Amino acid sequence: MKRIISIFLCVLIAGAFAPTVSAEESIRLTVEKAEAFFSVPAGGEYFSCASLETAEPGKYTAQIKDAYYYDTESGSFIHLKEGDRYEGGVSYRVRIRFYAEPGYALDDSVTEYYLNGERERTLVGTNLIETVTDVEYNSVDGPGMYQTFPERVKSFFMKMYWDIAHFFEQIGVFFSSLFPKV
């Protein structure tokens, strides 16, 4: 009987300290200022959902999630896909999402988001900001300018490259959803 009581008390004492250990592991520091750096594209450059540089990469990361514009001719919003080209003379809305690294948290009521040193006040979702970017013309797509044959060939192969890369990315997303990391 003494052994059973002593084992019971040991388990009880060990159980009392278990929540304390897990509570310490779940403590996360809230990031007060999250800043990313985005280079404004020129007309003819390719859209990419690449990760952006951040001021404190150990605390958070940032990624372009969407870029779109309003097409007055069709009366609808046109969303860019990976590998599409930016058109010069168009105002794009670019959405950027911030992700907290382990041990840190982003809280929209506390965290201020900055893009290229300027505070962004347009919060459209959890840790998701939207900014307006005016894309300037370049020599390839300026008004009245046409692509040369080599530029069209390069554009064709770049489009194929991005389509293939997007296809394999989607396959990766499919398989990662089937086999989540443990």
Side-chain angles (χ1 to χ4, degrees):
M1 187 66 170
K2 288 181 183 179
R3 286 185 184 170
I4 294 174
I5 291 175
S6 64
I7 292 173
F8 175 75
L9 289 176
C10 286
V11 170
L12 185 65
I13 289 171
F17 289 109
T20 306
V21 172
S22 65
E24 286 181 22
E25 290 176 359
S26 68
I27 292 176
R28 299 186 308 171
L29 301 173
T30 302
V31 176
E32 294 180 9
K33 180 180 179 183
E35 183 172 11
F37 303 97
F38 170 69
S39 58
V40 178
E45 290 183 8
Y46 295 95
F47 173 69
S48 172
C49 293
S51 294
L52 302 175
E53 269 189 59
T54 58
E56 298 177 279
K59 294 182 179 180
Y60 57 87
T61 59
Q63 183 180 23
I64 298 172
K65 298 308 284 183
D66 192 15
Y68 65 96
Y69 67 96
Y70 182 74
D71 184 22
T72 54
E73 290 178 14
S74 67
S76 62
F77 288 97
I78 307 297
H79 293 265
L80 295 181
K81 297 182 307 258
E82 188 83 19
D84 285 350
R85 294 177 73 155
Y86 285 101
E87 293 182 31
V90 175
S91 289
Y92 286 89
R93 295 190 179 276
V94 180
R95 291 187 175 190
I96 299 169
R97 183 173 301 276
F98 288 81
Y99 298 95
E101 291 291 330
Y104 294 92
L106 297 168
D107 181 355
D108 292 339
S109 63
V110 176
T111 306
E112 293 181 349
Y113 299 97
Y114 288 80
L115 190 61
N116 296 339
E118 294 184 26
R119 183 164 184 227
E120 290 294 326
R121 300 184 189 277
T122 307
L123 194 64
V124 294
T126 305
N127 309 331
L128 182 68
I129 62 169
E130 183 173 272
T131 187
V132 176
T133 301
D134 293 323
V135 175
E136 299 293 326
Y137 289 107
N138 69 17
S139 61
V140 175
D141 71 343
M145 302 296 284
Y146 297 98
Q147 287 183 317
T148 63
F149 179 75
E151 290 170 335
R152 287 192 315 240
V153 170
K154 178 183 174 187
S155 176
F156 171 79
F157 283 109
M158 286 301 296
K159 175 79 170 118
M160 285 187 63
Y161 168 81
W162 286 114
D163 287 344
I164 292 168
H166 181 70
F167 172 76
F168 283 109
E169 179 184 4
Q170 292 303 317
I171 288 175
V173 169
F174 172 75
F175 281 109
S176 67
S177 66
L178 290 177
F179 306 106
K181 292 181 182 177
V182 179

